Amino acid sequence: MGTMNIETAEGRLEALRRMCTIREFDDTASELFADGEIPGFVHLYIGEEAVAVGACSALEDDDYITSTHRGHGHCIAKGLDPERMMAELLGKRDGYCKGKGGSMHIADVDAGMLGANGIVGAGPPLATGAALGIDQRGEDRVALAFFGDGAVAQGQVHEALNLAATWSLPAVFVIENNQFGEGTPVEEQHHLDNLSETAEAYDIPGITVDGMDVTAVNEAVAEARTRARNGDGPTLVEAVTYRYRGHFEGDPQPYRDEEDVEEWRERDPIETFFQRLRDRGEITEEEFEAMRSEVETTVEEAVEYARDAPEPEPEDAYEDMFADPAPEIAQFAERLRADGGERGGDR
Amino acid sequence: MAQATDQRTATTTFREAIRTALREEMERDDGVFLMGEDVGDYGGVFEVTQGLADEFGEERVRDTPISEAGFVGAGVGAAATGMRPVVEVMFSDFLGVSAEQMLNQMAKMRYMFGGKTDMGITIRTTEGGGMGAASQHSGTLHTWFAHFPGIKAVAPATPEAAKGLLKSAIRSDDPVMFFEDKMIYEREGEMPTDADFTLPIGEASVEREGEDVTVVATQRLVGESLSLADELEGDVSVEVVDPRSLYPLDTDAIVESVEKTGRLVVADESPLSYGTHAEVVARVVESGFFSLDAPPQRVGVPDTHIPFSPPLEDEVLPQAADVRTAIDRVV
Amino acid sequence: MARVGLVANPAAGRDIRRLTGGAVVSDNYAKRRAAASVLEGLSVHPGIEVLVAPDEAGIGEYAVSESPDEVSATLLDVPTHGTREDTRLAAARFRDETDVAVVLGGDGTVRDVVSAVGSVPLVAVSTGTNNVVPDHVDGAVAGVAAAFVADGTVPIEEVAIRHSTVEATIAEPERKRSIRSLATMGVVDRPFVGTRAVLNGEEFVGGVVSRAGPHEIGLSGIVGGVVRHPPDAPGGVGVRLGPPDETPRTVDAVTVPGVLEPVGVADYRLLDDGEEFVFEVETGVVSVDGERDVEVTDAEVAMSPSADGPYVVQVERTLAAAADRGGFDV
């Protein structure tokens, strides 16, 4: 819960700010990608902010999460620093992963963030393992796995659910049903309509909540966390949400109907939450504008930080393979660099 | 290189040596726990973990469903958050079922995350033909994992190596694949009894000194090569080197031996093409080419699967006779 | 020719009370089978035409594909979006084109149908255990009842009740809104609609019910411990609740599915139709049939019973009346 207890007015504003930060961060990432400043693949979380923030606002700071290829929102919701995130997106030495991971692999294990993940469905087994460790050590924490609707078709997700259920582990599984698995609509990938019904096979509760409402996700995950901490085992929460952007930046999106985007935008998680807070007198239009411009500044500063950060040294590529390095790597590298003179491509 | 101060040993089996290492490391560190199919009260399909559930309880010797992707993944997640899981995959042929979690998570997390994640997981699995278990329970797959960056791979041949390497594997903050040749569980040998005894990963052992030919052998073929060397005594002087670790591989020890003998035979039960043999030969050629007096020879499985019927299985499995033929070709 | 509408809500009942209480859900497989069973029941008198609402989970489509030869079933040509609007669109067609409508879902689904179905009588079948209005009855049995009502085997006025409703106006400094519920309207001391379901009885500040009975769950069950009020009786009951040790009377009630707890009753009052029962709410949520629905701040919430509710077919009464008339004879 930390600073984001949405039972309090202060916490609600923080949740709103966190959602705005995700939106601004990813809008900016989109621009930087289009300008060629970010290499590789970028998967944006825009539209789904209520899920990450709703879930993380129901967690304690030392709880673990596993993330997905669409992980920026989870990172920010878990409290990671936008500067080091942006530096990672730009492949800089001061990024969370020293530039070795990029957008798809941002991690901060010390902060409980066990990594964005480029493999669909790989997170739930990791969360099950983290929950197993919590259980073995007798700690008062939980592990939560975010995964998409697409991952529900992956075998290892079901294995993770079965293990966590069988062992009654303190785990929470959150399906982010954003209506598309890569470039194919969800209904073409699953016979199930309510993906939370998957839970029935494992004799655990499965519930479906409005993933565009941060309060709904928060409440569901809070109950799931309580259940996990009471020793009652895992819960499967399906948050029904919508991905505004393509699967990846540059996706031509032949599978999408523009009308649908407009329909979902009417329920925008940030706009609707702001309106609710405004209606209860907790924030004014002016204050919201001010919040947005602060968030803009935060993200601008993150971009500046990232741009100013040093590039990694090319030979850093040979570091971090092992805790106890294999001599082969240094030997091969030495031979490569001795023979090759100036290395590096012509990008 | 044994680090033990107490030099006493006991005659024990390969199986008991593994069990001893597991027991000692579980006593030493509460974060160590075992997990796998039938490892609990059943004691493991090859009885390696027998009795440990009684000693340490079913939470630390945890039976799993038949769910390799799930429980290997759970081991990876537990290791990433500070535990030291020792996961048993009953047969190496089943590793493919859990490959994703090993290849994309276990092997890559530290590197992808910029070095910040420890991955103190050990995966024990069995390899090798010879008991009529047919193609899906007899394979020798260690080359895959020795090849894949980010994973350490060890394949002991003796009780001493089994104990020393398994203890190092469990204590390591890196992922280690521990390959057990199921045909040598009954093999006896001297095992240091000191609970502080370990063997460093990445160091080969000269099991027998010789002058005429170097046989780099692994697993079951170490014992068979040593017997062969005894037989050939007076005729050919055979040096037997057991690399013990497949990755990292102790190039120096192997090259040093070949520099002395000038001849190299590599005996390993994996398939011959693109394999462990090729790696040993390549390193010798790269670093000791001018010491070679004859073309290096490979002894392994001739690129088939392991068949069921005993005459068929005997045909393809490398044995002492094949090592002898290879020696005869170069000496 | 007799025409029957059939609508099923695929999303009904996936709610959080599975965690916080004893709510039971039926999966969409069960709903598909239940929908097919309704058509089976409708075949009791051959020739009935059935308009089946489409839905994103394919419940209606499945029912049509499984429909018995004696029934002429077609899928309604209306768009679906996977929202409650789907139910309303189908109900609007039922209003013009059917004699009776069968609804598979909970109180929320029935309310959505009621908002658009006009005076077409309903056979409401519960697909969970959390509901007040729909009957817990087998789909085929419900289908038989619907057939007897649709083809005039039994007169509607003999076997249906007119269910009262509750209306409310919510006046806040900047705006005014009106909402309606079928059985209960409550004020809940909770900051957000959140997962919508009311999570425990302590959160109820009070409300107005159009029906009350001790066998019911939620606000109508709480009131039912004090006074009984049939759903088709004129008027309703207004109630204010409080902590059990601070109120003159405390009753045990099943406040949410699976939860029995004492609830303090500060006061209650029988209301005539149109008679207001007012709550001043600083912050809270107005609940509709057990679901948190509208977040309010500095609001005056004026609730009142209303007689203009839906005609709800009483399944047991219908079948008995039909049997008396030889409706089951082959």
Side-chain angles (χ1 to χ4, degrees):
Chain A
M1 215 174 290
T3 55
M4 228 183 0
N5 176 2
I6 71 172
E7 296 285 319
T8 69
E10 197 184 24
R12 290 191 277 274
L13 291 179
E14 179 58 27
L16 181 64
R17 176 188 299 273
R18 209 76 70 99
M19 288 200 289
C20 289
T21 307
I22 295 171
R23 178 73 55 94
E24 182 64 25
F25 186 94
D26 269 3
D27 275 337
T28 304
S30 171
E31 289 163 21
L32 295 179
F33 180 82
D35 293 346
E37 262 191 270
I38 297 176
F41 295 115
V42 179
H43 306 82
L44 302 182
Y45 199 69
I46 298 169
E48 307 179 32
E49 294 89 347
V51 183
V53 172
C56 288
S57 61
L59 298 180
E60 297 296 337
D61 286 344
D62 64 352
D63 288 337
Y64 293 112
I65 63 166
T66 66
S67 173
T68 69
H69 55 286
R70 200 174 304 290
H72 303 167
H74 307 137
C75 291
I76 290 170
K78 193 75 173 83
L80 268 61
D81 175 5
E83 291 189 345
R84 297 188 59 203
M85 286 176 62
M86 195 60 89
E88 189 59 36
L89 263 60
L90 265 61
K92 296 302 185 71
R93 195 196 64 190
D94 298 340
Y96 269 106
C97 311
K98 305 184 199 167
K100 286 200 174 80
S103 164
M104 242 189 299
H105 304 298
I106 298 176
D108 186 358
V109 176
D110 292 338
M113 163 60 187
L114 300 181
N117 210 309
I119 305 297
V120 170
L126 298 173
T128 295
L132 180 58
I134 291 166
D135 196 48
Q136 303 262 51
R137 294 187 296 260
E139 295 172 339
D140 183 21
R141 18 182 2 183
V142 303
L144 179 149
F146 289 106
F147 54 105
D149 47 279
V152 176
Q154 284 279 22
Q156 58 177 329
V157 170
H158 294 263
E159 296 194 23
L161 286 168
N162 184 48
L163 285 177
T166 302
W167 294 339
S168 234
L169 296 179
V172 179
F173 296 93
V174 177
I175 303 171
E176 299 179 317
N177 181 352
N178 69 11
Q179 312 303 321
F180 302 100
E182 298 173 353
T184 303
V186 61
E187 61 270 18
E188 292 175 32
Q189 302 201 30
H190 302 279
H191 187 56
L192 266 185
D193 185 60
N194 297 312
L195 297 178
S196 64
E197 281 180 26
T198 299
E200 260 101 280
Y202 305 103
D203 194 14
I204 60 172
I207 61 176
T208 296
V209 300
D210 181 358
M212 304 301 267
D213 178 353
V214 69
T215 67
V217 179
N218 169 272
E219 196 170 270
V221 173
E223 289 294 343
R225 188 185 188 283
T226 301
R227 195 173 170 274
R229 283 314 326 150
N230 287 344
D232 296 329
T235 303
L236 181 63
V237 177
E238 177 191 16
V240 179
T241 181
Y242 195 74
R243 193 183 79 204
Y244 289 3
R245 307 287 303 188
H247 169 50
F248 53 90
E249 283 302 281
D251 178 0
Q253 306 180 61
Y255 50 85
R256 194 201 299 270
D257 190 345
E258 269 309 309
E259 272 177 34
D260 285 350
V261 185
E262 288 315 307
E263 255 177 48
W264 282 90
R265 276 186 187 276
E266 282 168 22
R267 300 172 51 214
D268 185 84
I270 296 174
E271 196 55 36
T272 54
F273 191 53
F274 157 67
Q275 286 165 7
R276 286 156 73 185
L277 296 185
R278 181 199 57 201
D279 291 347
R280 47 202 300 151
E282 293 176 3
I283 187 170
T284 63
E285 299 274 355
E286 294 72 31
E287 285 164 345
F288 186 46
E289 276 312 305
M291 178 187 281
R292 290 201 138 160
S293 89
E294 282 164 28
V295 162
E296 261 175 51
T297 307
T298 301
V299 174
E300 275 166 22
E301 284 170 2
V303 173
E304 288 315 306
Y305 173 87
R307 283 178 176 149
D308 293 347
E311 299 280 357
E313 295 298 328
E315 54 267 42
D316 292 348
Y318 306 114
E319 303 292 326
D320 300 323
M321 282 297 293
F322 293 104
D324 182 17
E328 277 86 347
I329 297 171
Q331 287 161 12
F332 291 145
E334 192 184 347
R335 201 173 297 172
L336 199 63
R337 296 182 74 78
D339 298 345
E342 184 77 9
R343 295 192 56 73
D346 52 358
R347 46 172 103 211
Chain B
M1 288 302 277
Q3 292 162 354
T5 48
D6 178 350
Q7 299 300 321
R8 276 176 296 186
T9 64
T11 305
T12 186
T13 60
F14 188 75
R15 172 188 292 113
E16 180 59 34
I18 295 169
R19 191 185 299 143
T20 302
L22 294 172
R23 182 187 293 117
E24 288 176 0
E25 292 309 298
M26 289 181 80
E27 281 168 349
R28 179 175 179 270
D29 182 348
D30 287 343
V32 177
F33 71 100
L34 315 185
M35 151 163 89
E37 292 156 14
D38 301 337
V39 299
D41 289 338
Y42 191 102
V45 68
F46 291 107
E47 300 165 15
V48 173
T49 54
Q50 217 162 59
L52 295 178
D54 280 344
E55 282 178 62
F56 296 98
E58 60 186 26
E59 293 224 324
R60 291 187 68 196
V61 185
R62 188 179 282 263
D63 282 324
T64 64
I66 302 166
S67 182
E68 286 85 2
F71 69 75
V72 168
V76 175
T81 52
M83 301 297 285
R84 293 201 177 275
V86 182
V87 179
E88 177 178 315
V89 175
M90 195 181 273
F91 292 89
S92 60
D93 309 79
F94 307 165
L95 289 170
V97 181
S98 55
E100 153 52 27
Q101 285 289 333
M102 288 187 278
L103 304 185
N104 275 317
Q105 313 300 327
M106 179 183 90
K108 292 180 181 171
M109 276 171 91
R110 173 186 295 279
Y111 188 76
M112 289 193 306
F113 299 170
K116 283 177 307 193
T117 316
D118 281 336
M119 188 49 67
I121 184 174
T122 303
I123 296 181
R124 295 178 42 240
T125 191
T126 65
E127 297 192 299
M131 55 187 291
S135 297
Q136 292 172 342
H137 293 73
S138 303
T140 294
L141 280 74
H142 53 236
T143 305
W144 296 8
F145 297 90
H147 170 75
F148 200 87
I151 299 173
K152 293 181 176 175
V154 300
T158 63
E160 179 189 10
K163 179 181 175 185
L165 287 172
L166 183 52
K167 286 164 72 77
S168 290
I170 294 171
R171 293 182 193 187
S172 169
D173 289 331
D174 294 317
V176 182
M177 303 289 297
F178 189 86
F179 292 97
E180 300 168 16
D181 186 329
K182 63 174 89 75
M183 298 309 291
I184 59 173
Y185 277 126
E186 292 294 325
R187 183 178 174 182
E188 290 195 334
E190 290 303 300
M191 176 192 78
T193 54
D194 189 341
D196 289 329
F197 166 76
T198 60
L199 285 175
I201 293 168
E203 281 192 18
S205 160
V206 178
E207 292 287 304
R208 184 193 211 283
E209 294 200 9
E211 302 298 328
D212 299 334
V213 59
T214 297
V215 175
V216 173
T218 64
Q219 299 177 303
R220 170 179 58 85
L221 290 165
V222 174
E224 297 202 9
S225 298
L226 287 170
S227 302
L228 176 68
D230 286 344
E231 269 175 49
L232 295 177
E233 178 86 57
D235 188 9
V236 183
S237 172
V238 179
E239 176 146 314
V240 179
V241 178
D242 176 3
R244 298 203 290 216
S245 296
L246 302 171
Y247 194 90
L249 180 64
D250 189 348
T251 312
D252 291 348
I254 294 167
V255 170
E256 196 178 309
S257 175
V258 175
E259 280 171 349
K260 179 170 68 175
T261 63
R263 292 173 177 82
L264 173 64
V265 171
V266 186
D268 176 75
E269 200 180 307
S270 56
L272 283 164
S273 292
Y274 294 95
T276 295
H277 319 79
E279 184 61 29
V280 173
V281 171
R283 295 205 187 187
V284 168
V285 168
E286 278 179 341
S287 304
F289 180 76
F290 297 105
S291 318
L292 284 169
D293 296 326
Q297 300 296 310
R298 296 185 286 175
V299 177
V301 172
D303 290 7
T304 65
H305 301 299
I306 308 303
F308 165 64
S309 176
L312 301 175
E313 188 176 35
D314 289 347
E315 172 63 26
V316 299
L317 285 182
Q319 342 219 348
D322 303 313
V323 179
R324 172 161 200 172
T325 306
I327 290 173
D328 288 347
R329 276 202 294 268
V330 294
V331 176
Chain C
M1 183 177 294
R3 295 215 287 184
V4 176
L6 171 63
V7 61
N9 177 3
R14 305 292 318 162
D15 77 50
I16 195 170
R17 289 174 297 189
R18 305 201 69 202
L19 302 189
T20 58
V24 175
V25 299
S26 60
D27 56 31
N28 276 343
Y29 177 80
K31 288 176 193 167
R32 275 197 290 276
R33 297 295 305 161
S37 300
V38 171
L39 294 188
E40 175 70 18
L42 287 166
S43 73
V44 66
H45 286 176
I48 289 180
E49 197 175 317
V50 189
L51 297 181
V52 181
D55 58 87
E56 302 254 301
I59 297 171
E61 201 176 341
Y62 175 83
V64 170
S65 74
E66 294 288 303
S67 90
D69 293 343
E70 296 83 356
V71 171
S72 158
T74 49
L75 206 59
L76 268 182
D77 178 25
V78 290
T80 61
H81 296 91
T83 66
R84 56 203 317 168
E85 192 56 28
D86 297 354
T87 305
R88 293 196 190 111
L89 283 177
R93 293 283 298 272
F94 295 163
R95 181 186 57 215
D96 300 330
E97 300 173 36
T98 66
D99 303 305
V100 61
V102 181
V103 186
L104 300 182
D107 288 333
T109 313
V110 175
R111 194 175 59 252
D112 289 334
V113 171
V114 167
S115 70
V117 82
S119 59
V120 173
L122 308 178
V123 176
V125 182
S126 173
T127 54
T129 61
N130 326 323
N131 304 302
V132 171
V133 177
D135 279 325
H136 299 281
V137 63
D138 176 71
V141 173
V144 172
F148 289 152
V149 171
D151 70 5
T153 302
V154 295
I156 181 71
E157 54 281 3
E158 193 178 312
V159 297
I161 61 163
R162 185 143 203 206
H163 200 297
S164 298
T165 61
V166 182
E167 292 176 335
T169 54
I170 301 168
E172 291 172 294
E174 304 285 323
R175 62 178 163 174
K176 198 166 181 177
R177 288 175 281 181
S178 298
I179 56 172
R180 175 186 287 236
S181 75
L182 209 48
T184 70
M185 180 97 68
V187 173
V188 179
D189 183 20
R190 187 94 179 175
F192 290 108
V193 298
T195 51
R196 309 203 85 88
V198 175
L199 298 182
N200 67 62
E202 284 171 22
E203 294 174 357
F204 276 123
V205 172
V208 168
V209 298
S210 65
R211 59 189 288 170
H215 62 290
E216 297 184 353
I217 293 172
L219 206 49
S220 61
I222 296 170
V223 177
V226 180
V227 60
R228 267 172 279 173
H229 190 87
D232 54 344
V237 185
V239 65
R240 286 178 211 282
L241 306 172
D245 49 354
E246 295 172 18
T247 52
R249 188 166 175 187
T250 297
V251 294
D252 275 326
V254 178
T255 53
V256 293
V259 179
L260 174 72
E261 57 186 331
V263 181
V265 179
D267 77 278
Y268 71 94
R269 180 153 52 95
L270 295 175
L271 304 170
D272 292 329
D273 287 330
E275 182 181 351
E276 288 191 340
F277 199 77
V278 179
F279 293 88
E280 304 289 341
V281 187
E282 201 176 315
T283 62
V285 179
V286 176
S287 73
V288 168
D289 296 319
E291 290 203 339
R292 286 171 280 160
D293 199 48
V294 182
E295 292 169 3
V296 299
T297 305
D298 297 331
E300 185 186 273
V301 183
M303 304 176 184
S304 58
S306 170
D308 58 349
Y311 292 91
V312 179
V313 173
Q314 306 294 289
V315 171
E316 194 179 332
R317 208 190 289 174
T318 305
L319 298 179
D324 290 347
R325 290 169 167 83
F328 288 95
D329 292 356
V330 177

